[in-house]
Amino acid sequence: AAEDWRFRVQSGWNGFELGAEGPFSKCRDVGSFQAAYRYSFLDLLAQLGMDTGIRPKYQDFTLKLERNLSAHWSLSALALWGISRLTLEETSAKLSTGSSSAFAGLCLSYDDEGHNKAAFRLYWNRSRCVSDIEQHAENVYGEDQRENRYSLSAKWENRSVPRNYWVAGAGLDVYDMHFFSRSATMFMGNLYFQDEFRFSDAWNCRK
């Protein structure tokens, strides 16, 4: 984690970017943050009157927070958001395509700085894709695809025995999907246990 507050402003063909990061407190080690925003450089030039003929529209935002709850427990949060749009025009036809995505997640972590580590994660993810084709000012094709994903998982790691590395976990994913005029919901779960035994520093057996 950064020990001082830092701010960033930069521009390039990838976009115009703003960023900041630093600790919540300079006096106590309680956590830190990171934030970044980006905007389409070519779209910004077009708005300033310097149109290059190609004008992709996009912007995105990222935020990460980390908080120390105690000597062994910590909480982190991550959020992502982005949207893009591109339009191509000919004499009698127009193509528009766009997409958007969003993500939000929480992770509660435990580390005894000895033999055990654990993590509990909860997150949501959404994606969308839209396309339209017009000919002679009439819409001849349209597509709208959306998907939401919800996920809950837990993982435990143990190294209490020098030559054994145990990992166990479980998870559940829920998918909510919409494609054209159809909708579907799907559930997926997993449960696993893994043991890695080290015969030496060079040889190990995983089962």
PDB file of all heavy atoms in Angstrom, residues 85 87-96 131-142:
ATOM      1  N   ARG A  85     -19.015   3.240 -26.919  1.00  0.00           N
ATOM      2  CA  ARG A  85     -19.966   3.375 -28.026  1.00  0.00           C
ATOM      3  C   ARG A  85     -19.215   3.790 -29.273  1.00  0.00           C
ATOM      4  O   ARG A  85     -18.343   4.658 -29.240  1.00  0.00           O
ATOM      5  CB  ARG A  85     -21.030   4.431 -27.697  1.00  0.00           C
ATOM      6  CG  ARG A  85     -22.165   4.519 -28.696  1.00  0.00           C
ATOM      7  CD  ARG A  85     -23.155   3.413 -28.475  1.00  0.00           C
ATOM      8  NE  ARG A  85     -24.297   3.496 -29.390  1.00  0.00           N
ATOM      9  CZ  ARG A  85     -25.278   2.599 -29.440  1.00  0.00           C
ATOM     10  NH1 ARG A  85     -25.258   1.568 -28.612  1.00  0.00           N
ATOM     11  NH2 ARG A  85     -26.266   2.720 -30.284  1.00  0.00           N
ATOM     12  N   THR A  87     -19.954   4.537 -33.546  1.00  0.00           N
ATOM     13  CA  THR A  87     -20.926   4.697 -34.622  1.00  0.00           C
ATOM     14  C   THR A  87     -20.199   4.917 -35.940  1.00  0.00           C
ATOM     15  O   THR A  87     -19.313   5.777 -36.032  1.00  0.00           O
ATOM     16  CB  THR A  87     -21.864   5.883 -34.344  1.00  0.00           C
ATOM     17  OG1 THR A  87     -22.546   5.669 -33.103  1.00  0.00           O
ATOM     18  CG2 THR A  87     -22.897   6.020 -35.455  1.00  0.00           C
ATOM     19  N   LEU A  88     -20.562   4.129 -36.947  1.00  0.00           N
ATOM     20  CA  LEU A  88     -20.015   4.269 -38.296  1.00  0.00           C
ATOM     21  C   LEU A  88     -21.158   4.599 -39.247  1.00  0.00           C
ATOM     22  O   LEU A  88     -22.187   3.914 -39.262  1.00  0.00           O
ATOM     23  CB  LEU A  88     -19.326   2.969 -38.731  1.00  0.00           C
ATOM     24  CG  LEU A  88     -18.167   2.484 -37.846  1.00  0.00           C
ATOM     25  CD1 LEU A  88     -17.668   1.131 -38.338  1.00  0.00           C
ATOM     26  CD2 LEU A  88     -17.039   3.495 -37.827  1.00  0.00           C
ATOM     27  N   GLU A  89     -20.975   5.642 -40.061  1.00  0.00           N
ATOM     28  CA  GLU A  89     -22.036   6.095 -40.963  1.00  0.00           C
ATOM     29  C   GLU A  89     -21.542   6.101 -42.398  1.00  0.00           C
ATOM     30  O   GLU A  89     -20.439   6.550 -42.700  1.00  0.00           O
ATOM     31  CB  GLU A  89     -22.513   7.494 -40.564  1.00  0.00           C
ATOM     32  CG  GLU A  89     -23.175   7.555 -39.202  1.00  0.00           C
ATOM     33  CD  GLU A  89     -23.819   8.909 -38.936  1.00  0.00           C
ATOM     34  OE1 GLU A  89     -24.500   9.422 -39.848  1.00  0.00           O
ATOM     35  OE2 GLU A  89     -23.631   9.440 -37.835  1.00  0.00           O
ATOM     36  N   GLU A  90     -22.396   5.593 -43.282  1.00  0.00           N
ATOM     37  CA  GLU A  90     -22.182   5.674 -44.722  1.00  0.00           C
ATOM     38  C   GLU A  90     -23.316   6.522 -45.316  1.00  0.00           C
ATOM     39  O   GLU A  90     -24.101   7.127 -44.587  1.00  0.00           O
ATOM     40  CB  GLU A  90     -22.153   4.279 -45.333  1.00  0.00           C
ATOM     41  CG  GLU A  90     -20.991   3.417 -44.859  1.00  0.00           C
ATOM     42  CD  GLU A  90     -19.636   3.928 -45.337  1.00  0.00           C
ATOM     43  OE1 GLU A  90     -19.627   4.687 -46.335  1.00  0.00           O
ATOM     44  OE2 GLU A  90     -18.618   3.581 -44.722  1.00  0.00           O
ATOM     45  N   THR A  91     -23.416   6.515 -46.644  1.00  0.00           N
ATOM     46  CA  THR A  91     -24.414   7.364 -47.298  1.00  0.00           C
ATOM     47  C   THR A  91     -25.827   7.012 -46.873  1.00  0.00           C
ATOM     48  O   THR A  91     -26.643   7.880 -46.546  1.00  0.00           O
ATOM     49  CB  THR A  91     -24.288   7.252 -48.819  1.00  0.00           C
ATOM     50  OG1 THR A  91     -22.953   7.568 -49.213  1.00  0.00           O
ATOM     51  CG2 THR A  91     -25.266   8.205 -49.507  1.00  0.00           C
ATOM     52  N   SER A  92     -26.142   5.714 -46.853  1.00  0.00           N
ATOM     53  CA  SER A  92     -27.512   5.295 -46.545  1.00  0.00           C
ATOM     54  C   SER A  92     -27.576   4.289 -45.405  1.00  0.00           C
ATOM     55  O   SER A  92     -28.628   3.690 -45.175  1.00  0.00           O
ATOM     56  CB  SER A  92     -28.165   4.694 -47.795  1.00  0.00           C
ATOM     57  OG  SER A  92     -27.427   3.566 -48.249  1.00  0.00           O
ATOM     58  N   ALA A  93     -26.483   4.087 -44.714  1.00  0.00           N
ATOM     59  CA  ALA A  93     -26.462   3.087 -43.644  1.00  0.00           C
ATOM     60  C   ALA A  93     -25.726   3.624 -42.421  1.00  0.00           C
ATOM     61  O   ALA A  93     -24.846   4.484 -42.530  1.00  0.00           O
ATOM     62  CB  ALA A  93     -25.802   1.800 -44.124  1.00  0.00           C
ATOM     63  N   LYS A  94     -26.118   3.095 -41.288  1.00  0.00           N
ATOM     64  CA  LYS A  94     -25.523   3.518 -40.028  1.00  0.00           C
ATOM     65  C   LYS A  94     -25.413   2.316 -39.099  1.00  0.00           C
ATOM     66  O   LYS A  94     -26.386   1.587 -38.894  1.00  0.00           O
ATOM     67  CB  LYS A  94     -26.376   4.611 -39.377  1.00  0.00           C
ATOM     68  CG  LYS A  94     -25.864   5.091 -38.041  1.00  0.00           C
ATOM     69  CD  LYS A  94     -26.784   6.165 -37.466  1.00  0.00           C
ATOM     70  CE  LYS A  94     -26.308   6.609 -36.092  1.00  0.00           C
ATOM     71  NZ  LYS A  94     -27.215   7.659 -35.526  1.00  0.00           N
ATOM     72  N   LEU A  95     -24.216   2.106 -38.572  1.00  0.00           N
ATOM     73  CA  LEU A  95     -23.968   1.007 -37.644  1.00  0.00           C
ATOM     74  C   LEU A  95     -23.560   1.587 -36.300  1.00  0.00           C
ATOM     75  O   LEU A  95     -22.636   2.393 -36.220  1.00  0.00           O
ATOM     76  CB  LEU A  95     -22.866   0.083 -38.166  1.00  0.00           C
ATOM     77  CG  LEU A  95     -22.311  -0.947 -37.171  1.00  0.00           C
ATOM     78  CD1 LEU A  95     -23.391  -1.949 -36.763  1.00  0.00           C
ATOM     79  CD2 LEU A  95     -21.097  -1.671 -37.738  1.00  0.00           C
ATOM     80  N   SER A  96     -24.255   1.153 -35.258  1.00  0.00           N
ATOM     81  CA  SER A  96     -23.938   1.582 -33.900  1.00  0.00           C
ATOM     82  C   SER A  96     -23.738   0.351 -33.039  1.00  0.00           C
ATOM     83  O   SER A  96     -24.558  -0.572 -33.068  1.00  0.00           O
ATOM     84  CB  SER A  96     -25.061   2.450 -33.316  1.00  0.00           C
ATOM     85  OG  SER A  96     -25.249   3.628 -34.070  1.00  0.00           O
ATOM     86  N   SER A 131     -26.192  -3.638 -30.362  1.00  0.00           N
ATOM     87  CA  SER A 131     -25.849  -3.315 -31.751  1.00  0.00           C
ATOM     88  C   SER A 131     -27.119  -2.937 -32.516  1.00  0.00           C
ATOM     89  O   SER A 131     -28.178  -3.546 -32.309  1.00  0.00           O
ATOM     90  CB  SER A 131     -25.169  -4.502 -32.448  1.00  0.00           C
ATOM     91  OG  SER A 131     -23.950  -4.829 -31.812  1.00  0.00           O
ATOM     92  N   ASP A 132     -26.988  -1.948 -33.402  1.00  0.00           N
ATOM     93  CA  ASP A 132     -28.114  -1.504 -34.230  1.00  0.00           C
ATOM     94  C   ASP A 132     -27.604  -1.184 -35.632  1.00  0.00           C
ATOM     95  O   ASP A 132     -26.530  -0.609 -35.799  1.00  0.00           O
ATOM     96  CB  ASP A 132     -28.781  -0.252 -33.641  1.00  0.00           C
ATOM     97  CG  ASP A 132     -29.467  -0.524 -32.317  1.00  0.00           C
ATOM     98  OD1 ASP A 132     -30.455  -1.270 -32.308  1.00  0.00           O
ATOM     99  OD2 ASP A 132     -28.989   0.002 -31.296  1.00  0.00           O
ATOM    100  N   ILE A 133     -28.392  -1.554 -36.623  1.00  0.00           N
ATOM    101  CA  ILE A 133     -28.084  -1.231 -38.017  1.00  0.00           C
ATOM    102  C   ILE A 133     -29.300  -0.517 -38.620  1.00  0.00           C
ATOM    103  O   ILE A 133     -30.427  -1.015 -38.534  1.00  0.00           O
ATOM    104  CB  ILE A 133     -27.763  -2.494 -38.837  1.00  0.00           C
ATOM    105  CG1 ILE A 133     -26.522  -3.192 -38.269  1.00  0.00           C
ATOM    106  CG2 ILE A 133     -27.525  -2.125 -40.310  1.00  0.00           C
ATOM    107  CD1 ILE A 133     -26.170  -4.474 -38.994  1.00  0.00           C
ATOM    108  N   GLU A 134     -29.037   0.620 -39.230  1.00  0.00           N
ATOM    109  CA  GLU A 134     -30.090   1.389 -39.890  1.00  0.00           C
ATOM    110  C   GLU A 134     -29.763   1.527 -41.372  1.00  0.00           C
ATOM    111  O   GLU A 134     -28.618   1.763 -41.741  1.00  0.00           O
ATOM    112  CB  GLU A 134     -30.225   2.776 -39.261  1.00  0.00           C
ATOM    113  CG  GLU A 134     -30.712   2.780 -37.830  1.00  0.00           C
ATOM    114  CD  GLU A 134     -30.877   4.184 -37.291  1.00  0.00           C
ATOM    115  OE1 GLU A 134     -30.767   5.147 -38.100  1.00  0.00           O
ATOM    116  OE2 GLU A 134     -31.107   4.337 -36.077  1.00  0.00           O
ATOM    117  N   GLN A 135     -30.781   1.389 -42.185  1.00  0.00           N
ATOM    118  CA  GLN A 135     -30.668   1.623 -43.626  1.00  0.00           C
ATOM    119  C   GLN A 135     -31.809   2.529 -44.055  1.00  0.00           C
ATOM    120  O   GLN A 135     -32.975   2.227 -43.791  1.00  0.00           O
ATOM    121  CB  GLN A 135     -30.709   0.304 -44.404  1.00  0.00           C
ATOM    122  CG  GLN A 135     -29.440  -0.530 -44.263  1.00  0.00           C
ATOM    123  CD  GLN A 135     -29.458  -1.762 -45.129  1.00  0.00           C
ATOM    124  OE1 GLN A 135     -30.515  -2.200 -45.585  1.00  0.00           O
ATOM    125  NE2 GLN A 135     -28.293  -2.339 -45.379  1.00  0.00           N
ATOM    126  N   HIS A 136     -31.462   3.638 -44.706  1.00  0.00           N
ATOM    127  CA  HIS A 136     -32.451   4.633 -45.140  1.00  0.00           C
ATOM    128  C   HIS A 136     -33.323   5.066 -43.967  1.00  0.00           C
ATOM    129  O   HIS A 136     -34.555   5.132 -44.057  1.00  0.00           O
ATOM    130  CB  HIS A 136     -33.315   4.079 -46.277  1.00  0.00           C
ATOM    131  CG  HIS A 136     -32.516   3.600 -47.451  1.00  0.00           C
ATOM    132  ND1 HIS A 136     -31.872   4.467 -48.327  1.00  0.00           N
ATOM    133  CD2 HIS A 136     -32.224   2.329 -47.882  1.00  0.00           C
ATOM    134  CE1 HIS A 136     -31.241   3.754 -49.252  1.00  0.00           C
ATOM    135  NE2 HIS A 136     -31.442   2.458 -49.012  1.00  0.00           N
ATOM    136  N   ALA A 137     -32.659   5.325 -42.827  1.00  0.00           N
ATOM    137  CA  ALA A 137     -33.314   5.819 -41.615  1.00  0.00           C
ATOM    138  C   ALA A 137     -34.294   4.822 -41.012  1.00  0.00           C
ATOM    139  O   ALA A 137     -35.131   5.184 -40.192  1.00  0.00           O
ATOM    140  CB  ALA A 137     -34.030   7.146 -41.894  1.00  0.00           C
ATOM    141  N   GLU A 138     -34.172   3.550 -41.386  1.00  0.00           N
ATOM    142  CA  GLU A 138     -35.047   2.519 -40.827  1.00  0.00           C
ATOM    143  C   GLU A 138     -34.187   1.452 -40.147  1.00  0.00           C
ATOM    144  O   GLU A 138     -33.206   0.976 -40.715  1.00  0.00           O
ATOM    145  CB  GLU A 138     -35.893   1.871 -41.922  1.00  0.00           C
ATOM    146  CG  GLU A 138     -36.829   0.792 -41.399  1.00  0.00           C
ATOM    147  CD  GLU A 138     -37.658   0.152 -42.512  1.00  0.00           C
ATOM    148  OE1 GLU A 138     -37.615   0.667 -43.647  1.00  0.00           O
ATOM    149  OE2 GLU A 138     -38.327  -0.868 -42.242  1.00  0.00           O
ATOM    150  N   ASN A 139     -34.579   1.072 -38.944  1.00  0.00           N
ATOM    151  CA  ASN A 139     -33.833   0.072 -38.189  1.00  0.00           C
ATOM    152  C   ASN A 139     -34.102  -1.309 -38.765  1.00  0.00           C
ATOM    153  O   ASN A 139     -35.228  -1.783 -38.762  1.00  0.00           O
ATOM    154  CB  ASN A 139     -34.240   0.121 -36.708  1.00  0.00           C
ATOM    155  CG  ASN A 139     -33.315  -0.708 -35.845  1.00  0.00           C
ATOM    156  OD1 ASN A 139     -33.306  -1.920 -35.927  1.00  0.00           O
ATOM    157  ND2 ASN A 139     -32.530  -0.049 -35.010  1.00  0.00           N
ATOM    158  N   VAL A 140     -33.041  -1.979 -39.261  1.00  0.00           N
ATOM    159  CA  VAL A 140     -33.203  -3.297 -39.880  1.00  0.00           C
ATOM    160  C   VAL A 140     -32.640  -4.412 -39.007  1.00  0.00           C
ATOM    161  O   VAL A 140     -32.881  -5.600 -39.278  1.00  0.00           O
ATOM    162  CB  VAL A 140     -32.517  -3.327 -41.264  1.00  0.00           C
ATOM    163  CG1 VAL A 140     -33.200  -2.355 -42.215  1.00  0.00           C
ATOM    164  CG2 VAL A 140     -31.026  -3.023 -41.147  1.00  0.00           C
ATOM    165  N   TYR A 141     -31.884  -4.049 -37.971  1.00  0.00           N
ATOM    166  CA  TYR A 141     -31.332  -5.083 -37.089  1.00  0.00           C
ATOM    167  C   TYR A 141     -31.046  -4.476 -35.722  1.00  0.00           C
ATOM    168  O   TYR A 141     -30.554  -3.359 -35.610  1.00  0.00           O
ATOM    169  CB  TYR A 141     -30.031  -5.652 -37.672  1.00  0.00           C
ATOM    170  CG  TYR A 141     -29.360  -6.683 -36.775  1.00  0.00           C
ATOM    171  CD1 TYR A 141     -29.812  -7.994 -36.734  1.00  0.00           C
ATOM    172  CD2 TYR A 141     -28.293  -6.316 -35.957  1.00  0.00           C
ATOM    173  CE1 TYR A 141     -29.204  -8.931 -35.909  1.00  0.00           C
ATOM    174  CE2 TYR A 141     -27.672  -7.243 -35.135  1.00  0.00           C
ATOM    175  CZ  TYR A 141     -28.136  -8.550 -35.114  1.00  0.00           C
ATOM    176  OH  TYR A 141     -27.540  -9.475 -34.291  1.00  0.00           O
ATOM    177  N   GLY A 142     -31.389  -5.227 -34.695  1.00  0.00           N
ATOM    178  CA  GLY A 142     -31.122  -4.782 -33.335  1.00  0.00           C
ATOM    179  C   GLY A 142     -30.768  -5.965 -32.444  1.00  0.00           C
ATOM    180  O   GLY A 142     -31.359  -7.043 -32.568  1.00  0.00           O
TER     181      GLY A 142
END
